[in-house]
Amino acid sequence: MLRRWMPLTMAMILLLVGAVACQKATTTEQSDTTEETMRMTTQEKMDIFLTRRSIRKYKPELPPQELLDKVLEAGTYAPSAMGKQSVTIVAVTNRAVRDQLSQLANKARGGDKDQFYGAPAVFVVLADKSLSSNYLQDGALVVGNMQNAAHALGLGTCWVNAAKGIFELEEGQALLKKWGLEGDLVGVACCIIGYPDESPESAPRKEHYVIHVD
């Protein structure tokens, strides 16, 4: 009787040993992968900042809302003076509203072109100057966060310096009321966003960009 069970018992033991060995191998493999990832992480993170470019040519398709939301979330976590969070972001993905803003930018700046370079979406960055004397800096930090986040997600952006003029116009003020926005709001920037249709090279960094004081 015992002899009949011995082969089965040995088989079970071998299976258990194999499973443990496999688990150890998997754990070791995962550990190696984690270490490799950690070794790559610093440079990969730096590359987000070093390879970002201002994009002035876009593909027509609108990125999925999931990606746009991630970029917007990054913007909301930008530093703000005294934590006042003076900035409001208006995410414009409606084509008619986007085109209206471009036309208002032409009116404010002079010109007759698409001020948004074909980008399908515009994130309008507004700041309430009654909340902070550093509202412009707050807005600039928000735009910077969104631009870097967008690049990390494979999207392109560009700061279009038209928001101030747009929302000084009567039509711009009417839009703010339509959107239900109140406060002493100033247009900081129009951050256009979409899939890039160009890969511009970076300009050489100027000499003495950084001065070290010991």
Side-chain angles (χ1 to χ4, degrees):
M1 183 74 173
L2 183 60
R3 289 179 179 176
R4 280 189 302 176
W5 285 102
M6 283 182 65
L8 180 59
T9 303
M10 289 299 296
M12 292 177 65
I13 291 172
L14 289 172
L15 282 172
L16 286 171
V17 170
V20 171
C22 182
Q23 185 176 9
K24 286 183 177 178
T26 301
T27 303
T28 302
E29 196 174 302
Q30 288 174 342
S31 177
D32 291 343
T33 302
T34 301
E35 289 178 7
E36 183 179 354
T37 301
M38 290 179 67
R39 285 197 298 269
M40 296 171 62
T41 295
T42 300
Q43 188 57 51
E44 286 179 343
K45 288 180 178 178
M46 283 301 298
D47 283 345
I48 293 171
F49 303 95
L50 301 180
T51 61
R52 188 209 62 79
R53 303 285 176 265
S54 293
I55 301 299
R56 294 179 176 84
K57 187 178 180 182
Y58 293 84
K59 296 176 181 178
E61 59 267 27
L62 183 69
Q65 191 62 46
E66 179 184 0
L67 288 185
L68 297 178
D69 286 343
K70 289 182 182 300
V71 175
L72 291 165
E73 183 180 21
T76 67
Y77 279 88
S80 65
M82 303 296 291
K84 295 291 186 180
Q85 299 183 40
S86 64
V87 173
T88 298
I89 309 167
V90 181
V92 178
T93 55
N94 178 285
R95 185 71 194 194
V97 178
R98 176 250 186 243
D99 289 347
Q100 181 183 10
L101 289 173
S102 178
Q103 291 167 6
L104 291 177
N106 274 322
K107 182 175 181 179
R109 306 175 82 185
D112 185 21
K113 64 176 184 179
D114 178 12
Q115 294 281 346
F116 301 146
Y117 302 102
V122 181
F123 294 162
V124 178
V125 177
L126 305 159
D128 190 339
K129 64 181 182 181
S130 69
L131 293 179
S132 173
S133 60
N134 296 300
Y135 64 94
L136 289 176
Q137 291 89 334
D138 288 350
L141 287 166
V142 167
V143 176
N145 260 30
M146 292 196 298
Q147 288 188 306
N148 287 318
H151 178 55
L153 295 169
L155 302 177
T157 60
C158 187
W159 176 311
V160 176
N161 200 31
K164 185 176 186 294
I166 289 173
F167 295 101
E168 286 176 345
L169 297 171
E170 289 185 10
E171 298 94 328
Q173 290 292 312
L175 279 176
L176 295 180
K177 290 181 180 178
K178 182 178 180 181
W179 295 338
L181 297 177
E182 299 179 350
D184 197 357
L185 295 174
V186 176
V188 177
C190 291
C191 181
I192 59 176
I193 184 167
Y195 287 112
D197 198 21
E198 64 173 356
S199 300
E201 296 292 328
S202 65
R205 302 297 92 180
K206 69 178 185 179
E207 290 187 18
H208 311 302
Y209 210 135
V210 178
I211 304 297
H212 292 278
V213 178
D214 298 325

